Amino acid sequence: MTAYQQPLPPAAELEDSVLLQMYYQMLRARRLDERMWVLHRQGKVAFHISGIGQEGTQIGAAFALRKGYDWVYPYYRDISLVLTLGMTPRMLMLGLFGKKEAVSSGGRQMPEHFSYRPSKLVTISSPVGTQIAQAPGTAFASKIKGSDEVTVVCFGEGTTSQGDFHEGLNWASIHKLPVIFLCQNNQYAISEPMSVEMAVKSVADRAKGYNMVGVKVDGNDVLAVYDVMREAVARARKGEGPTLVEGFTYRPVPHSSDDDDRTYRSREEVESWKKKDPILRFEKLLYERKLLDDAKKTEIEAGIMDEVNDATDYAMRAPYPAAEECLYPVYGPLP
Amino acid sequence: MFMQNNQVNDENMREISFAEAIREALAEEMRRDPTVYIMGEDVAEAGTPFKVLLGLVDEFGTERVVDTPISEAGFSAIGVGSAMTGMRPVIDIMFGDFLPLAMEQIVNRAAKIHYMSGGKLRVPIVFRTTLGAGRRSAAQHSQSLHAWFSHIPGLKVAIPSTPYDAKGLWKTAIRDDSPVIFFEDKMMYSLKGLVPDEEYTIPFGLADIKRSGKDITLVATSSMVQVALDAAKKLEEIGLSAEVVDPRTTWPLDKKTLIASAKKTGRVIVIDEGYEQYGVTAELAAVIAEGAFYYLDAPVRRFGAMDVPVPFSPVLEDQTIPSAEQIVEAAKDLCAV
């Protein structure tokens, strides 16, 4: 049995350097995501699905985990989460272009179906929600192995209408499995607002039906998410069972590069949420605490743009898979 | 009226897209029959991701163009339940790859209820969905899974290849008292074709000869019909006359037309975008071999999608779909030229 990890400090006691790391991770994911949109609009890549606006929830969650030790099922918007847990801008760009060197699948898989074995990131399925029932399976394995690793599974609120959500949460709670169900509630399932998706006001309310702890948190407040996740992780590590966490946020961009969100929501609504951007909010806090000023911010931005440019150039130059590789690897190796 | 072939001389024809033909068929049937309704994800304001249903909610309201939560198994069941009790639902499964989520309702329920109730209960439902690769959408947004449903007694499967066929088959699908799985090639929505102004339907189980020929038969379905027509054009340039036959429904299947064409030309290539292993091409080749064996000058050749999860990278994906060039080479080989 692995020794229980020391619980992480609460947000109020986090060191300045950690807070600045959080900021850097949020901003880097944002700038990389923005570049991906540009590349799509330039016709250089086929598809992009974005995590813009959800950095607060994802970074708050990522910092509550032990990188490379805990299992994570990221969903397709989790750019900030996977970058924080060990994937690099180059890796994501290679995936976006479908290049041979892309770590998730060598160009087989859609770009935002992240998987990366060293970071224990497990790929999702395009039919949403199947991972919600798989994650308790991973947590079940951890329990059998006697490991105190935890499993985090991410999904949007729209996905909670799928049967897998019910089956996964029910099972996890019966067996008190070390799994955290992280719902990133961005209020839209493609075009459908929450009122069309569910009759409850909050996804977290559904935890009651499974005798599970359910917590709704402001997903645009990175530190609030961190605190909620920190407690959920501690509970899971101690064998006290699963938690349903709902990070309430907003998707200020279309569902994907194929979507036009003007057909189903007003520009006023989108603009009002852009004012609540999680990065702007955290930046304000860092300015207030004198951890950040204009000069420092410019320096961080410049470093990030170097990384984004490097990743773009590298991925554009990288070779595609060879045509002959097409049938590899449909099956595993022979025994 | 029933029309078998595209009658391009008809003066009452207009040129519309594949998507418009589908939208027209649905709108006309919804006006004609108040029990017809559409249900699925993003069908209302968004008009589906491919915008095929755009505007229907404005005419018929959200009571008949119903947005559902993401819950394919659930709303398929709601469709089956309402169909048994007098409605004619069109259940929209956004991508054919999501059909596995609804499999219990389609295969074990919709397909079997009529038989299991001794004909007392009917399930006049249509599952509307897509097939086809080439859109850089990888393994779970690109599959052509129509073979699965063609395998199940109790289901009918429509796979149109032109705006004309799409409209006529859609109207038949809605009026049919049995469950129908309706596959639309997602790459074909902007394809234009002539469609008459007046009302028409196309019966299921009636193949269409898209092009007449005498040297070789190309049997092609859905997305592969344009590929076969392209190959036929190339073959003509080298003096080979290819006949292109489109079954239009994989079940019921117009065996007669396939066999007759095979007997006429003596050489056959079957092309379908489903996986090749155990696929639609295997069934069609077997039907032709059984029915026309003594008339064939060569074994039936078949082309399906490569037996691999559809890859994302363009270099890889393009190889997995049968091409006109491959068909031309195979045809030259069969005709020994």
Side-chain angles (χ1 to χ4, degrees):
Chain A
M1 169 88 62
T2 316
Y4 288 133
Q5 304 298 316
Q6 286 298 311
L8 293 163
E13 293 167 21
L14 282 175
E15 288 175 20
D16 293 349
S17 63
V18 177
L19 297 177
L20 282 169
Q21 265 299 311
M22 283 179 158
Y23 175 70
Y24 160 76
Q25 290 289 359
M26 289 169 87
L27 198 63
R28 184 171 69 153
R30 173 69 59 90
R31 296 291 176 254
L32 191 68
D33 202 319
E34 288 167 347
R35 173 62 57 82
M36 289 171 166
W37 278 104
V38 170
L39 290 168
H40 178 268
R41 296 314 192 217
Q42 290 176 337
K44 293 196 167 77
V45 299
F47 181 75
H48 177 52
I49 195 158
S50 178
I52 287 179
Q54 298 181 205
E55 295 90 347
T57 305
Q58 293 175 21
I59 300 294
F63 274 77
L65 294 173
R66 193 170 162 200
K67 187 164 131 180
Y69 182 76
D70 296 324
W71 288 94
V72 177
Y73 287 72
Y75 89 129
Y76 48 82
R77 299 202 191 280
D78 278 328
I79 293 181
S80 348
L81 181 68
V82 301
L83 282 171
T84 311
L85 293 176
M87 293 190 78
T88 65
R90 278 191 180 188
M91 289 179 190
L92 299 196
M93 275 295 181
L94 287 161
L96 187 74
F97 281 89
K99 295 297 178 78
K100 180 180 169 68
E101 208 188 315
V103 295
S104 289
S105 69
R108 271 71 173 171
Q109 182 58 288
M110 284 184 96
E112 287 86 1
H113 287 46
F114 310 107
S115 71
Y116 184 46
R117 196 63 183 75
S119 293
K120 292 167 91 170
L121 303 176
V122 186
T123 183
I124 51 155
S125 179
S126 302
V128 298
T130 52
Q131 77 273 21
I132 305 177
Q134 291 166 350
T138 299
F140 183 60
S142 303
K143 196 177 165 182
I144 291 171
K145 288 186 295 185
S147 165
D148 73 341
E149 64 197 12
V150 304
T151 300
V152 172
V153 54
C154 299
F155 45 90
E157 86 293 345
T159 294
T160 65
S161 301
Q162 288 280 31
D164 297 275
F165 176 81
H166 168 67
E167 295 173 37
L169 268 70
N170 190 42
W171 216 82
S173 195
I174 292 169
H175 295 277
K176 285 196 171 299
L177 296 176
V179 54
I180 294 129
F181 300 95
L182 176 59
C183 176
Q184 300 182 31
N185 183 348
N186 64 22
Q187 306 181 54
Y188 281 90
I190 307 189
S191 73
E192 299 179 7
M194 263 185 86
S195 58
V196 177
E197 303 172 47
M198 62 191 81
V200 288
K201 289 269 180 273
S202 160
V203 170
D205 286 349
R206 293 177 160 174
K208 290 187 198 108
Y210 306 98
N211 192 26
M212 187 188 295
V213 180
V215 189
K216 181 177 180 177
V217 59
D218 181 347
N220 287 0
D221 181 347
V222 61
L223 296 180
V225 175
Y226 168 80
D227 269 338
V228 166
M229 282 297 293
R230 187 186 73 91
E231 286 173 24
V233 168
R235 199 157 38 238
R237 280 208 213 288
K238 283 188 285 183
E240 292 171 6
T243 306
L244 172 61
V245 176
E246 175 187 13
F248 193 77
T249 178
Y250 191 78
R251 186 192 82 208
V253 291
H255 164 69
S256 75
S257 55
D258 286 345
D259 179 37
D260 180 356
D261 64 335
R262 289 171 301 186
T263 61
Y264 54 81
R265 60 182 180 183
S266 73
R267 294 306 88 193
E268 292 72 30
E269 178 191 301
V270 176
E271 288 309 314
S272 78
W273 273 94
K274 279 184 180 171
K275 294 195 182 99
K276 302 176 199 168
D277 187 287
I279 298 179
L280 293 178
R281 186 159 160 185
F282 194 46
E283 213 169 77
K284 192 161 167 270
L285 183 88
L286 295 178
Y287 267 81
E288 280 165 12
R289 294 198 193 171
K290 312 269 185 242
L291 296 177
L292 194 64
D293 55 29
D294 289 352
K296 177 93 178 150
K297 188 183 157 190
T298 307
E299 187 193 321
I300 294 172
E301 281 270 13
I304 285 171
M305 288 320 290
D306 284 347
E307 285 189 73
V308 171
N309 289 332
D310 166 75
T312 311
D313 296 343
Y314 186 85
M316 283 175 77
R317 281 198 312 269
Y320 282 109
E324 309 81 76
E325 294 173 43
C326 195
L327 284 169
Y328 173 82
V330 180
Y331 296 98
L334 293 170
Chain B
M1 77 179 186
F2 280 150
M3 295 171 84
Q4 185 169 357
N5 296 307
N6 288 357
Q7 295 172 353
V8 290
N9 295 329
D10 193 318
E11 57 189 28
N12 297 324
M13 292 276 206
R14 303 151 294 142
E15 197 173 60
I16 60 172
S17 72
F18 194 72
E20 286 163 337
I22 294 161
R23 192 183 309 141
E24 271 190 16
L26 289 165
E28 286 172 23
E29 290 306 293
M30 289 177 83
R31 278 176 215 131
R32 189 186 60 79
D33 181 350
T35 68
V36 179
Y37 73 95
I38 300 172
M39 189 159 73
E41 293 153 13
D42 303 288
V43 295
E45 274 76 14
T48 75
F50 295 107
K51 306 297 173 201
V52 178
L53 306 183
L54 211 59
L56 291 184
V57 71
D58 301 327
E59 180 174 353
F60 301 104
T62 51
E63 306 233 312
R64 293 183 71 196
V65 184
V66 188
D67 268 344
T68 64
I70 307 176
S71 50
E72 287 80 2
F75 66 76
S76 296
I78 286 165
V80 171
S82 73
M84 286 194 289
T85 43
M87 300 298 284
R88 288 190 178 271
V90 173
I91 298 299
D92 194 294
I93 305 285
M94 195 186 288
F95 287 87
D97 311 70
F98 303 169
L99 284 163
L101 297 163
M103 226 41 182
E104 166 64 19
Q105 291 300 326
I106 300 172
V107 173
N108 275 340
R109 304 265 72 213
K112 295 178 174 59
I113 283 168
H114 190 256
Y115 189 83
M116 287 169 67
S117 69
K120 300 289 191 296
L121 291 169
R122 288 183 191 162
V123 190
I125 192 170
V126 190
F127 290 92
R128 167 174 189 265
T129 195
T130 61
L131 58 69
R135 214 176 156 269
R136 315 298 179 224
S137 305
Q140 296 157 328
H141 282 98
S142 308
Q143 297 174 94
S144 301
L145 297 176
H146 48 296
W148 291 9
F149 304 92
S150 311
H151 181 64
I152 301 296
L155 299 178
K156 299 184 180 181
V157 180
I159 46 167
S161 68
T162 64
Y164 176 88
D165 289 351
K167 186 171 179 188
L169 290 170
W170 251 115
K171 296 185 75 120
T172 302
I174 288 174
R175 296 174 195 194
D176 201 296
D177 275 340
S178 298
V180 176
I181 321 296
F182 204 105
F183 284 92
E184 300 163 6
D185 172 21
K186 64 176 83 72
M187 299 299 280
M188 207 187 271
Y189 284 127
S190 55
L191 177 84
K192 298 258 179 152
L194 291 170
V195 173
D197 285 328
E198 71 264 33
E199 166 93 17
Y200 70 101
T201 60
I202 296 172
F204 282 5
L206 188 61
D208 186 38
I209 300 186
K210 296 290 185 217
R211 176 193 170 112
S212 287
K214 57 180 177 49
D215 297 325
I216 186 164
T217 297
L218 307 178
V219 178
T221 62
S222 181
S223 53
M224 292 295 106
V225 172
Q226 293 303 325
V227 174
L229 288 169
D230 188 20
K233 218 177 282 170
K234 291 185 164 75
L235 288 168
E236 192 175 17
E237 288 163 16
I238 55 164
L240 284 177
S241 159
E243 179 149 295
V244 177
V245 182
D246 173 5
R248 300 198 289 199
T249 50
T250 48
W251 198 265
L253 179 64
D254 182 357
K255 297 182 181 181
K256 222 171 101 185
T257 301
L258 299 188
I259 291 165
S261 179
K263 283 181 176 174
K264 182 170 86 170
T265 64
R267 299 174 182 91
V268 183
I269 300 173
V270 184
I271 314 124
D272 175 86
E273 210 186 328
Y275 298 123
E276 196 167 289
Q277 58 190 33
Y278 286 83
V280 163
T281 56
E283 178 74 13
L284 299 183
V287 163
I288 290 162
E290 277 178 1
F293 185 79
Y294 295 105
Y295 296 80
L296 294 175
D297 295 323
V300 178
R301 289 284 298 272
R302 57 195 189 98
F303 286 96
M306 195 183 274
D307 294 322
V308 61
V310 180
F312 170 73
S313 199
V315 185
L316 301 182
E317 185 185 21
D318 288 345
Q319 287 191 84
T320 67
I321 311 164
S323 68
E325 290 69 29
Q326 284 175 312
I327 295 161
V328 168
E329 284 314 305
K332 282 160 67 180
D333 187 35
L334 287 179
C335 298
V337 293

